[in-house]
Amino acid sequence: MTANAFLSLLQGAGVTLIISLSGIAIGVPLGLVLALVRWRRIPGLSQVAAVYVSLLRSTPAVTLCLLIFFAVPTLGIEIGAWSAGIMTLAFVTAAFNCEVWRAGLLNFPHEQVEAARAFGMTPLLRLRRIIFPQLWRAALPGLVNEATLLIKASPAIAVIGVAEITRAATRIGAQTYEPLPPMLTATGIYVAIILVFVGLQRLTERRYGRGAGA
Amino acid sequence: MMHGFDVVWEHSDRLLWGVLNTIALSIVGAVLAVVFGALVAILLMSPNRLLRLSVQGLVDLMRCVPFLMLVYLVYYGLPHLGIDFDNWTAGLAALALYNTAYMAEILRGIWSGLPRETFEAATAFGYHGPRLYTRIVFPQVFLAAGPMLGNQLIQIIKDTAFLTIIAVPELTQAASGIQAQYFVPFAAFIAAILIYWALCAIVEGGVALIEKVAEARR
Amino acid sequence: MAKKPAETSETVLDIRGLTKSFGSNLVLDGVSLTVAKGRTVCVLGPSGSGKSTLLRCVNWLEKPDQGAVYLSGRRIGMREGGSIPMSSSELARERARIGMVFQHFNLWPHLTVIQNLAEAPIHVQKRNRDEVMAEAAALLDRVGLAAKKDDFPSRLSGGQKQRVGIARALAMKPELLLFDEPTSALDPELVGEVVAVMKTLAESGSTMLVVTHEMGFARETADEVVLMDGGRIVESGEPSAFFKKPKTERARQFLQRYVS
Ligand SMILES: Nc1ncnc2c1ncn2[C@@H]1O[C@H](COP(=O)(O)OP(=O)(O)OP(=O)(O)O)[C@@H](O)[C@H]1O
Ligand SMILES: [Mg+2]
């Protein structure tokens, strides 16, 4: 395997990271919104959110990615492979993040909400000043865990031709007729990325306690 | 858009064939993974420290690898070793191998959380070796493992979709085929997603049933 | 009180000079003890004196550092000659000759009551299933639990669990029964039902080695009591003599503390 090939693998790893992190950046707040909708039992929306979570949790990322990439243009909206990839990962992780946020909300001490209400805080103010500053700490270990799982699922977007790391590895393999060396190298890079996230997870667990409810 | 669903309905036999493959891959893959996972769990519980730590290292390594990567490694690697597979078998092998690591870790976690006393009672009553595992240890492990095994089975069902990338004729592959031929992406993939949803719901229902059996013994 | 004379001098259990340490903690310090056929020997002693360890050394759940255990003349844990340890399958076969009843019952939670009884006879001793099941049903009747045969252990009270534990040990037709504080985990009002079962066993000629804090049982049922302290046997003798006129100062102190 040439240095050039290695560089394009690293480039693929960069793509994997950018797309995954973008998906996480959208999916984490989206998950919070879904969790709040369910927590506040907003009529109609709450049920929609519940169905969304249930559906997305059993949908393979590959299938969702194909749906978005091929079906969204039929609605008259142009969508590139990158955007489709980011949307896929964001939608998937939002469903799982919703459950992490929701567990944190359900474990949130009710007295504190009552107290804030007694002080005349509006729901939004309560959320911003009282709940969220404590909630994110409780949710962080769970969210990092979901982020790790998302990175492991991210090769799904190779199916629509995004040149992420597995795709880069197969391309090099096809060019050189030696598929194994780039595959093994890519695996090594992947393991390194995952290990960083696992380390991050341990760190957050140590700092903020284990699990969403801690 | 409704027209799309009509097209998919006309070709529902192709989806059905895909689902059957998905189910077969998932069930056979899961059964193999549970069996091998149980054997690996025995190694993970071994009193031999060196053996235990090296097997744990392999299991942890496997759990850091994305499934698609392992699919490629098996798909390209095995012919390299002189073993020729068709895509279906390569996909199944990857599915079983990958999930063996997860199953082993699930079973080990439950096993190490069970009270040791009933195992010791079995030793005192003359159990040893394989029979201790098959009669006393694993029945208790599996009784407690229902929900976690169910979650892993759902993960396996979702993982089978990756196999479309090496052209295994599973559900997503079938949906892709219909959409490529008739250009009904929306209907084809929504149908597939709803079927995955149903499959996962069935698994969850099964877990609930098993939990009832387990509850009587708790 | 049915005291059996020691006329059957056939020795079932012969423990010779057992020594066992955990790290630097000497737990058994040269313990020797014999139990003749049909006799009941009670082991008394303060917490930490090594009683459980002694029992666990008998069936080699704990491997003693020195000394030997013979069951009906056959060495346990070591092959003939005494220098080569038994393989795990040989050891398992010897263990199946000894019944054990545990403080915390240790019933198998995935099996029903009658399955708990039949499990080892069928799968370890390879006896005929129908015979075993019939015997198991009879045993359950004997401990007063025939009605519970298809329940799971989690549904039973502590006293019922322990009676199942005793029946499970009996189902193996063991040459020797070991009891490790069988009533210590029970609520006081449930102790009686278990003690009653143990009494009928002792009276019907079972050979039993019983670690207990139940002084009433020791006094009325034992053929011999043994007091352990600091890993040694400090006194042994007939219960009537032991409880009325202990020979050693240590025994007097022990009785003062535990019998009141
Ligand atoms: N597996 C072990 N590892 C280390 N130390 C042990 C082990 N088992 C027992 N010991 C120690 O050996 C000593 C004797 O323990 P043992 O359980 O035999 O006492 P015991 O007479 O049965 O006490 P009790 O009445 O509390 O049951 C104790 O100091 C205990 O801490
Ligand atoms: Mg003890």
PDB file of all heavy atoms in Angstrom, chain B residues 34 38 107 110 137-146 149 210:
ATOM      1  N   VAL B  34     -24.964 -16.793  19.650  1.00  0.00           N
ATOM      2  CA  VAL B  34     -25.239 -17.148  21.051  1.00  0.00           C
ATOM      3  C   VAL B  34     -24.433 -18.385  21.453  1.00  0.00           C
ATOM      4  O   VAL B  34     -23.828 -18.429  22.527  1.00  0.00           O
ATOM      5  CB  VAL B  34     -26.751 -17.390  21.262  1.00  0.00           C
ATOM      6  CG1 VAL B  34     -26.997 -18.107  22.574  1.00  0.00           C
ATOM      7  CG2 VAL B  34     -27.498 -16.074  21.240  1.00  0.00           C
ATOM      8  N   ALA B  38     -21.538 -18.132  24.057  1.00  0.00           N
ATOM      9  CA  ALA B  38     -21.547 -18.851  25.335  1.00  0.00           C
ATOM     10  C   ALA B  38     -20.192 -19.521  25.574  1.00  0.00           C
ATOM     11  O   ALA B  38     -19.658 -19.496  26.686  1.00  0.00           O
ATOM     12  CB  ALA B  38     -22.669 -19.889  25.337  1.00  0.00           C
ATOM     13  N   LEU B 107     -23.417 -12.251  27.939  1.00  0.00           N
ATOM     14  CA  LEU B 107     -23.542 -13.430  28.798  1.00  0.00           C
ATOM     15  C   LEU B 107     -22.561 -13.355  29.967  1.00  0.00           C
ATOM     16  O   LEU B 107     -22.903 -13.684  31.103  1.00  0.00           O
ATOM     17  CB  LEU B 107     -23.323 -14.714  27.985  1.00  0.00           C
ATOM     18  CG  LEU B 107     -24.337 -14.933  26.859  1.00  0.00           C
ATOM     19  CD1 LEU B 107     -24.006 -16.181  26.058  1.00  0.00           C
ATOM     20  CD2 LEU B 107     -25.755 -15.043  27.419  1.00  0.00           C
ATOM     21  N   ILE B 110     -23.904 -10.988  32.653  1.00  0.00           N
ATOM     22  CA  ILE B 110     -24.976 -11.559  33.470  1.00  0.00           C
ATOM     23  C   ILE B 110     -24.427 -12.639  34.397  1.00  0.00           C
ATOM     24  O   ILE B 110     -24.734 -12.680  35.587  1.00  0.00           O
ATOM     25  CB  ILE B 110     -26.079 -12.118  32.556  1.00  0.00           C
ATOM     26  CG1 ILE B 110     -26.776 -10.947  31.863  1.00  0.00           C
ATOM     27  CG2 ILE B 110     -27.069 -12.951  33.334  1.00  0.00           C
ATOM     28  CD1 ILE B 110     -27.695 -11.347  30.765  1.00  0.00           C
ATOM     29  N   VAL B 137     -25.411 -23.405  35.015  1.00  0.00           N
ATOM     30  CA  VAL B 137     -24.986 -22.016  34.803  1.00  0.00           C
ATOM     31  C   VAL B 137     -25.809 -21.344  33.706  1.00  0.00           C
ATOM     32  O   VAL B 137     -26.505 -20.343  33.953  1.00  0.00           O
ATOM     33  CB  VAL B 137     -23.481 -21.943  34.455  1.00  0.00           C
ATOM     34  CG1 VAL B 137     -23.092 -20.504  34.146  1.00  0.00           C
ATOM     35  CG2 VAL B 137     -22.647 -22.481  35.612  1.00  0.00           C
ATOM     36  N   PHE B 138     -25.763 -21.902  32.492  1.00  0.00           N
ATOM     37  CA  PHE B 138     -26.397 -21.187  31.382  1.00  0.00           C
ATOM     38  C   PHE B 138     -27.921 -21.090  31.491  1.00  0.00           C
ATOM     39  O   PHE B 138     -28.487 -20.066  31.086  1.00  0.00           O
ATOM     40  CB  PHE B 138     -25.938 -21.752  30.036  1.00  0.00           C
ATOM     41  CG  PHE B 138     -24.580 -21.236  29.655  1.00  0.00           C
ATOM     42  CD1 PHE B 138     -23.508 -22.087  29.499  1.00  0.00           C
ATOM     43  CD2 PHE B 138     -24.365 -19.866  29.490  1.00  0.00           C
ATOM     44  CE1 PHE B 138     -22.246 -21.600  29.182  1.00  0.00           C
ATOM     45  CE2 PHE B 138     -23.117 -19.372  29.170  1.00  0.00           C
ATOM     46  CZ  PHE B 138     -22.052 -20.232  29.011  1.00  0.00           C
ATOM     47  N   PRO B 139     -28.625 -22.110  32.032  1.00  0.00           N
ATOM     48  CA  PRO B 139     -30.066 -21.880  32.212  1.00  0.00           C
ATOM     49  C   PRO B 139     -30.339 -20.622  33.038  1.00  0.00           C
ATOM     50  O   PRO B 139     -31.249 -19.852  32.717  1.00  0.00           O
ATOM     51  CB  PRO B 139     -30.530 -23.142  32.946  1.00  0.00           C
ATOM     52  CG  PRO B 139     -29.582 -24.193  32.502  1.00  0.00           C
ATOM     53  CD  PRO B 139     -28.250 -23.499  32.361  1.00  0.00           C
ATOM     54  N   GLN B 140     -29.544 -20.397  34.085  1.00  0.00           N
ATOM     55  CA  GLN B 140     -29.766 -19.196  34.897  1.00  0.00           C
ATOM     56  C   GLN B 140     -29.338 -17.936  34.147  1.00  0.00           C
ATOM     57  O   GLN B 140     -29.991 -16.900  34.235  1.00  0.00           O
ATOM     58  CB  GLN B 140     -28.983 -19.305  36.206  1.00  0.00           C
ATOM     59  CG  GLN B 140     -29.513 -20.388  37.113  1.00  0.00           C
ATOM     60  CD  GLN B 140     -28.825 -20.371  38.470  1.00  0.00           C
ATOM     61  OE1 GLN B 140     -28.794 -19.353  39.141  1.00  0.00           O
ATOM     62  NE2 GLN B 140     -28.271 -21.494  38.861  1.00  0.00           N
ATOM     63  N   VAL B 141     -28.233 -18.039  33.412  1.00  0.00           N
ATOM     64  CA  VAL B 141     -27.768 -16.875  32.644  1.00  0.00           C
ATOM     65  C   VAL B 141     -28.828 -16.479  31.618  1.00  0.00           C
ATOM     66  O   VAL B 141     -29.223 -15.312  31.527  1.00  0.00           O
ATOM     67  CB  VAL B 141     -26.430 -17.187  31.939  1.00  0.00           C
ATOM     68  CG1 VAL B 141     -26.074 -16.069  30.969  1.00  0.00           C
ATOM     69  CG2 VAL B 141     -25.316 -17.373  32.964  1.00  0.00           C
ATOM     70  N   PHE B 142     -29.331 -17.467  30.862  1.00  0.00           N
ATOM     71  CA  PHE B 142     -30.284 -17.138  29.799  1.00  0.00           C
ATOM     72  C   PHE B 142     -31.611 -16.646  30.360  1.00  0.00           C
ATOM     73  O   PHE B 142     -32.286 -15.831  29.746  1.00  0.00           O
ATOM     74  CB  PHE B 142     -30.492 -18.339  28.878  1.00  0.00           C
ATOM     75  CG  PHE B 142     -29.366 -18.517  27.912  1.00  0.00           C
ATOM     76  CD1 PHE B 142     -28.513 -19.593  27.984  1.00  0.00           C
ATOM     77  CD2 PHE B 142     -29.128 -17.549  26.933  1.00  0.00           C
ATOM     78  CE1 PHE B 142     -27.451 -19.729  27.110  1.00  0.00           C
ATOM     79  CE2 PHE B 142     -28.066 -17.669  26.053  1.00  0.00           C
ATOM     80  CZ  PHE B 142     -27.225 -18.764  26.140  1.00  0.00           C
ATOM     81  N   LEU B 143     -31.963 -17.152  31.541  1.00  0.00           N
ATOM     82  CA  LEU B 143     -33.203 -16.703  32.160  1.00  0.00           C
ATOM     83  C   LEU B 143     -33.151 -15.203  32.439  1.00  0.00           C
ATOM     84  O   LEU B 143     -34.157 -14.509  32.351  1.00  0.00           O
ATOM     85  CB  LEU B 143     -33.404 -17.476  33.467  1.00  0.00           C
ATOM     86  CG  LEU B 143     -34.824 -17.848  33.833  1.00  0.00           C
ATOM     87  CD1 LEU B 143     -35.540 -18.481  32.669  1.00  0.00           C
ATOM     88  CD2 LEU B 143     -34.808 -18.776  35.024  1.00  0.00           C
ATOM     89  N   ALA B 144     -31.952 -14.704  32.754  1.00  0.00           N
ATOM     90  CA  ALA B 144     -31.814 -13.288  33.067  1.00  0.00           C
ATOM     91  C   ALA B 144     -31.475 -12.465  31.826  1.00  0.00           C
ATOM     92  O   ALA B 144     -31.465 -11.243  31.874  1.00  0.00           O
ATOM     93  CB  ALA B 144     -30.729 -13.103  34.126  1.00  0.00           C
ATOM     94  N   ALA B 145     -31.193 -13.152  30.711  1.00  0.00           N
ATOM     95  CA  ALA B 145     -30.618 -12.449  29.557  1.00  0.00           C
ATOM     96  C   ALA B 145     -31.651 -11.978  28.549  1.00  0.00           C
ATOM     97  O   ALA B 145     -31.301 -11.253  27.612  1.00  0.00           O
ATOM     98  CB  ALA B 145     -29.601 -13.351  28.866  1.00  0.00           C
ATOM     99  N   GLY B 146     -32.920 -12.351  28.724  1.00  0.00           N
ATOM    100  CA  GLY B 146     -33.944 -12.082  27.718  1.00  0.00           C
ATOM    101  C   GLY B 146     -33.908 -10.695  27.101  1.00  0.00           C
ATOM    102  O   GLY B 146     -33.707 -10.554  25.895  1.00  0.00           O
ATOM    103  N   LEU B 149     -30.608 -10.009  25.172  1.00  0.00           N
ATOM    104  CA  LEU B 149     -30.512 -10.789  23.942  1.00  0.00           C
ATOM    105  C   LEU B 149     -31.488 -10.246  22.904  1.00  0.00           C
ATOM    106  O   LEU B 149     -31.175 -10.197  21.714  1.00  0.00           O
ATOM    107  CB  LEU B 149     -30.799 -12.267  24.216  1.00  0.00           C
ATOM    108  CG  LEU B 149     -29.760 -13.011  25.064  1.00  0.00           C
ATOM    109  CD1 LEU B 149     -30.132 -14.483  25.185  1.00  0.00           C
ATOM    110  CD2 LEU B 149     -28.366 -12.867  24.482  1.00  0.00           C
ATOM    111  N   ILE B 210     -40.898 -14.149  27.169  1.00  0.00           N
ATOM    112  CA  ILE B 210     -39.819 -14.830  27.905  1.00  0.00           C
ATOM    113  C   ILE B 210     -39.705 -14.246  29.312  1.00  0.00           C
ATOM    114  O   ILE B 210     -39.464 -14.957  30.282  1.00  0.00           O
ATOM    115  CB  ILE B 210     -38.496 -14.699  27.133  1.00  0.00           C
ATOM    116  CG1 ILE B 210     -38.572 -15.505  25.837  1.00  0.00           C
ATOM    117  CG2 ILE B 210     -37.321 -15.172  27.982  1.00  0.00           C
ATOM    118  CD1 ILE B 210     -37.405 -15.287  24.914  1.00  0.00           C
TER     119      ILE B 210
END
